[in-house]
Amino acid sequence: MIDYDSFYIGGDWRTPATATRIEVRSAATEELVGSVPEGAERDVDDAVAAARRAFDDPQGWARWDPARRAEVLERFAQALESRAAETARRVTVQNGMPITLSRNFEGGFPPVLLRYFAGMVSENPQEESRPGMLGGTSLVIREPIGVVAAIVPWNVPQAITFLKLAPALAAGCTVVLKPAPETVLDAFLTAEAAREAGLPEGVLNVVAGGRELGAYLVAHPGVDKVSFTGSTGAGRAIAETCGRLLRPVTLELGGKSAAIVLDDADLASTIESFFAATLLNNGQICWLGTRVLAPQARYQEVVDTISDLARSLAIGDPLAESTQVGPLVSARQRDRVEGYIAKGKAEGARITVGGGRPDGLDHGWFVQPTVFADVDNKYTIAQEEIFGPVLSVIPYTDEDQAVAIANDSDYGLGGSVWTRDGERGEAVARRVASGTIGINAYANDPTAPFGGIKASGIGRELGPEGLHGYQQLKTIYLDPPS
């Protein structure tokens, strides 16, 4: 059991406003594994007030030289590295992510992001002088935007947390972090690392709670910017609030990306990359290519290859080294995925593999990797985000139709093109309406912007663009000397 009795606010552990608690259960065993306090509005008030004091301090974090902030962020990265194994274990226990993936995504990626953004602000000037056309000079300055409300989901909790924390802290912002109720134990471990690293009091604050508490935080008058990753429905509600308040917001939302298999593709030679781009993390990643577009002339071959892949995957205890597919995060999520499988069957799609629960796993929220063939792009399973290990294979006749099908979606977050001809793949990728897309692989590299279009969100994370989202511009006009 891992139990916490306090919230991390103002650089210390504080007693919560109420005795209500969030209980955490193992995705694989359904057993209770820990608990933390459930926040109330007063806890958010305290956290925002601490962040505001830290940001407004004339000698505080926002006014430090970027190189000085970078030194603290390096200590933060080291503190996270010393806890990487435990972070990965906690995430895997909570949400079912296979441990081999947790080590990379959850244990390894956050320190990389801290160092990347710390280097960016310390090595690059944050202001520039521009000669004017009217006789004077303009000094253009990038300043930290202020107090940030960071609200993260349960599927990749630590990596997504640091998509927000790393650039925000590097820019000089202060943060109130609200993790998802399903994955809170790792967030409290992050708070321990922040304290060990010597982040000044109030620079990072962690309060746990559900949707209502998140809504209260989003609308709090002490918040200057909101960064949210989660469902499109929740994102729309947050956008409405921020629009009314004229509050900057970054939204990384849902996806229903297309994996376009061209007629010259050799899936067998890239099957590991294909798995990573379509079924990684038990299908619980927003950018996965869950719509597989296959050429009509090779349709059955592609269906068979993907079905064989799904059939071969090792399902089981996510803490086991050999496991490739673990359980879903909760009983509710499993019910949701099973509901979509039932809809797919009812609409006329054909299951080639999976469709049920794996044999021999009587505990845990497992669903078999499932492949649907004979799918029309208008089917529910091809249009709505399922967030589980379910793929829909859709036929097309030529490249133009493949691109049209890929773009016939409310979403535009990820995607991939599979081909032996890199130039041809790039040409197709350029035509797909999506914020990101890969050729024979998919990755979120720290140096390049990540985010979606349409119902997949607003704004970008990673790259210099990710840092700019936590900065605001000020121009000082310098009148020429007389």
Side-chain angles (χ1 to χ4, degrees), residues 338 341 345 351 353-357 367-372:
E338 290 179 335
I341 291 173
K345 292 163 65 176
I351 292 179
V353 62
R357 300 179 184 180
V367 173
Q368 292 174 319
T370 301
V371 176
F372 277 102

Side-chain angles (χ1 to χ4, degrees), residues 337-356:
V337 172
E338 290 179 335
Y340 276 109
I341 291 173
K343 285 182 182 178
K345 292 163 65 176
E347 288 179 325
R350 172 172 57 92
I351 292 179
T352 64
V353 62

Side-chain angles (χ1 to χ4, degrees), residues 48-64 69 143-148 168 171-175 200-203 205 222 224 470 472:
V48 173
R52 173 54 59 195
R53 286 192 300 272
F55 184 79
D56 290 343
D57 182 349
Q59 307 300 320
W61 182 255
R63 280 109 196 135
W64 284 15
R69 286 200 300 268
E143 298 182 332
I145 204 166
V147 175
V148 175
C173 298
T174 59
V175 180
E201 61 182 44
V203 170
N205 309 271
D224 298 303
Y470 295 94
Q472 56 191 359

Side-chain angles (χ1 to χ4, degrees), residues 363-386:
H363 299 285
W365 300 301
F366 291 90
V367 173
Q368 292 174 319
T370 301
V371 176
F372 277 102
D374 304 333
V375 179
D376 187 291
N377 196 53
K378 294 185 173 15
Y379 288 177
T380 302
I381 57 171
Q383 287 295 316
E384 296 184 10
E385 186 175 44
I386 298 173

